[in-house]
Amino acid sequence: MDGGNQTRISDFLLLGISESPEQQQVLFWMFLSMYLVTVVGNVLIILAISFDPRLHTPMYFFLANLSFTDLFFVTNTIPKMLVNLQSQNKAISYAGCMTQLYFLVSLVTLDNLILATMAYDRYVAICRPLHYVTAMSPGLCILLLTLCWSLSLLYGLTLTLFMTKVTFCGSQKIHYIFCEMYVLLRLACSNTQIIHIVLITTGIFIFLTPFGFMMISYIRIVRTILQIPSASSKYKAFSTCASHLAVVSLFYGTLCMVYLQPLQSYSMKDSVATVMYAVVTPMMNPFIYSLRNKDMHGALGRLLLGKAFQKVT
């Protein structure tokens, strides 16, 4: 397209899922409740792990970072969405939209890489228990987490820079709740074939490679568990992995529904799936990881009872 016909727009209009005032009120209270539950749940997980020496292990170190990522993730999108649901001015600046997109991509990627790292931790703990202390040393855990953060921020920056080369013209209306990659590409009037190819190829590397690694790890974990003679020991070994498997299934299930498809086929049902991984998954993670975890139950109990005792005294 000729550069003289391209216009750089200054802002977008985030119209949300529905323009009906009645439905917007319902959505406001629903998302506000989910946001508060997500914040409280993940903050409690982080505090419980931080203050309880019994949880100063690699598994809980990565879990605390996963909770921090989820907390940052929902704070990047939901507050602005809540303001838009209550306001007549639903505009978001071009720079604000690109910033939101950057953190959205980076934090989804970080979630993905931390989940893969947690799968490796479970593999070493169950399949190579005698080597666990040396294989998951504090230095290695910090190195793995640093790599996760570095790759995520770099990936988010790369895709955001590609998006800044896309030209938007005509409609500025985004019928969605935040600046999401595929929604923005639907508004583009320049050629998006290159960035779509980049999305698919990098997505395979960034998301499917860790997913494949997790699947291989859990195949080996299951084989090891099945060789354990004691039924109680089998149950204990499997219970340490069940929560992680549930989170992985929820995360990847919704993610694949949205992004592993041609851009032209993206529709409102995929917007619902995006809400699932952007709002529901961060909210559910604290419940899933603490539901059947006695160590986490104990740490949360000591944290809450300790706070209550301090108030009484």
Side-chain angles (χ1 to χ4, degrees):
M1 183 179 287
D2 184 11
N5 296 329
Q6 297 180 350
T7 304
R8 174 70 71 183
I9 65 175
S10 59
D11 54 30
F12 296 97
L13 296 177
L14 288 171
L15 299 180
I17 298 175
S18 171
E19 295 185 56
S20 166
E22 294 78 11
Q23 291 182 358
Q24 285 186 356
Q25 284 299 311
V26 174
L27 290 171
F28 173 81
W29 290 110
M30 181 181 74
F31 284 119
L32 176 61
S33 301
M34 295 171 73
Y35 178 64
L36 293 176
V37 170
T38 302
V39 170
V40 171
N42 283 289
V43 167
L44 284 176
I45 293 290
I46 294 170
L47 291 177
I49 293 172
S50 300
F51 289 111
D52 196 323
R54 300 174 184 83
L55 302 185
H56 291 176
T57 63
M59 181 179 73
Y60 292 109
F61 171 71
F62 293 123
L63 177 55
N65 280 276
L66 183 68
S67 291
F68 175 79
T69 304
D70 287 341
L71 188 61
F72 194 176
F73 186 91
V74 295
T75 303
N76 176 53
T77 55
I78 296 184
K80 175 62 177 174
M81 175 183 64
L82 293 174
V83 171
N84 285 351
L85 287 170
Q86 291 292 94
S87 171
Q88 295 298 321
N89 181 14
K90 302 181 184 300
I92 181 171
S93 67
Y94 176 84
C97 191
M98 290 299 108
T99 301
Q100 192 179 73
L101 178 66
Y102 167 71
F103 284 112
L104 182 69
V105 173
S106 298
L107 294 170
V108 170
T109 306
L110 183 58
D111 249 4
N112 165 63
L113 295 178
I114 290 178
L115 287 172
T117 306
M118 293 174 74
Y120 174 69
D121 172 76
R122 292 298 84 206
Y123 164 75
V124 176
I126 294 175
C127 299
R128 302 180 61 191
L130 298 179
H131 300 87
Y132 184 75
V133 175
T134 54
M136 296 301 295
S137 64
L140 179 61
C141 291
I142 293 173
L143 176 62
L144 288 172
L145 189 64
T146 302
L147 288 174
C148 290
W149 273 94
S150 301
L151 286 173
S152 302
L153 296 177
L154 180 62
Y155 183 60
L157 180 62
T158 301
L159 290 189
T160 305
L161 289 176
F162 269 103
M163 284 299 296
T164 61
K165 304 300 180 182
V166 174
T167 303
F168 301 96
C169 52
S171 175
Q172 301 168 244
K173 298 179 179 179
I174 300 177
H175 292 274
Y176 199 50
I177 54 179
F178 51 75
C179 293
E180 196 271 336
M181 180 76 70
Y182 271 25
V183 175
L184 289 173
L185 289 176
R186 290 290 293 269
L187 299 178
C189 58
S190 58
N191 192 336
T192 60
Q193 184 177 2
I194 293 177
I195 191 171
H196 191 235
I197 292 173
V198 170
L199 275 173
I200 295 296
T201 53
T202 56
I204 291 173
F205 173 73
I206 292 291
F207 291 98
L208 292 189
T209 300
F211 180 72
F213 170 78
M214 281 187 272
M215 291 301 98
I216 293 173
S217 297
Y218 272 105
I219 288 173
R220 294 183 176 181
I221 287 172
V222 170
R223 287 178 178 174
T224 302
I225 292 175
L226 292 177
Q227 294 173 1
I228 298 175
S230 169
S232 60
S233 298
K234 284 182 181 180
Y235 175 79
K236 183 178 180 180
F238 181 75
S239 64
T240 63
C241 305
S243 300
H244 184 257
L245 275 173
V247 171
V248 168
S249 300
L250 182 60
F251 179 79
Y252 278 97
T254 53
L255 210 61
C256 290
M257 285 174 60
V258 177
Y259 295 111
L260 294 185
Q261 61 172 307
L263 175 62
Q264 293 76 12
S265 65
Y266 190 82
S267 63
M268 183 55 69
K269 68 178 178 63
D270 301 302
S271 299
V272 176
T274 306
V275 172
M276 286 290 293
Y277 84 73
V279 183
V280 177
T281 300
M283 180 185 70
M284 293 302 297
N285 283 355
F287 294 100
I288 294 173
Y289 277 109
S290 61
L291 189 62
R292 299 177 65 182
N293 190 318
K294 293 182 179 180
D295 293 334
M296 187 59 68
H297 282 173
L300 288 171
R302 286 186 289 273
L303 177 68
L304 296 174
L305 288 175
K307 296 294 183 183
F309 179 75
Q310 289 176 5
K311 287 183 178 181
V312 172
T313 56

